[in-house]
Amino acid sequence: MTHVPTLFDVGSVTHAGRVRERNEDSFLVRTDVGLWAVADGMGGHEAGDLASRIVVQSLDAIGTLESAADLLAECEVRLFSANQQILALSQERQGATVGTTAAVLLVRDGYYACVWAGDSRVYLISRGIINQVSHDHSELEELIAEGALSREDVKDWPNNAITRAVGVADDPEFEVVTGPAAPEDIFVICSDGLTKHVQDEEILQHAATRRAQAACDDMLALALDRGGLDNVTIVIVRLLAPQSREPTRTPLDWKPQSCPRTIRSDRPTEACRPAPASTASTRSKR
């Protein structure tokens, strides 16, 4: 397979917000390997900032790899390693709950992979349309999926506990979605401190019409103007024209998949299979 170098316009910003004293968010920009991530330490729990930093530092240890398959496999390994480190931190603190969300974007050879746990989000803007690639792992999202509540019902819901996170269980679950990535596609990775105040249509308007860093700065200002109730972190990645037009196969030997897929640590290239209730998981190997 021929590796096709890709150019990116990347922006990033993080802020504690106007209410929280401490910023428990962390983010990673590793454009050199095609990896970007946002982690949101669980607010109200002890050492959330340490948990998010552990995830980012673990992912930051990834070096240049031969293929996209290797990149995804190594990403999984690093997330599972971070989970064990956070569990150890919890034990050091007499069993205090310590955890973080994680939303990771990988891009290589014209395809992307999104890996996440929790309610930090990954959006894809393509041809002027915004789609949420990830879906929130939260109690409210589960109730909506079950038909018990509508999105209008939960619009102003005060609390929304997450149902998956890194560092809260020995056997963590991560969801994975893959698909094609074309020049001018834009990915937005963010913590829920942004989406509490800024609607999807507004994310589309800013990210699609400004350079990546300017869009990050503008959306942060908008979230702060509207109260800044939580930490806010945004990473924007716009794909530019590739440096080569040589043909390439799907980088993970995938056919393009719009459905989530189950990947386990001992079988990193398992084919996509629909999972019950539109949910697919990555579990650590016991």
Side-chain angles (χ1 to χ4, degrees), residues 123-176:
Y123 291 92
L124 168 60
I125 299 171
S126 183
R127 299 181 179 180
I129 299 173
I130 186 169
N131 288 294
Q132 186 178 330
V133 178
S134 62
H135 68 265
D136 298 352
H137 296 140
S138 67
E139 291 181 351
L140 289 184
E141 195 66 27
E142 289 183 357
L143 291 172
I144 292 170
E146 293 168 358
L149 294 172
S150 69
R151 295 207 176 275
E152 190 63 28
D153 292 333
V154 303
K155 186 175 181 181
D156 298 315
W157 206 276
N159 297 307
N160 187 16
I162 61 175
T163 55
R164 298 190 197 181
V166 187
V168 298
D170 291 330
D171 194 16
E173 295 181 303
F174 301 96
E175 196 157 352
V176 181

Side-chain angles (χ1 to χ4, degrees), residues 80 83-84 87 91 167-172 283-286:
F80 294 134
N83 187 78
Q84 295 306 310
L87 287 173
Q91 293 177 353
V168 298
D170 291 330
D171 194 16
R283 286 185 178 273
S284 63
K285 184 178 179 181
R286 290 188 179 275

Side-chain angles (χ1 to χ4, degrees), residues 4 14-15 55 68 120 130 165 171 180 271:
V4 181
T14 188
H15 194 283
V55 167
S120 294
I130 186 169
D171 194 16

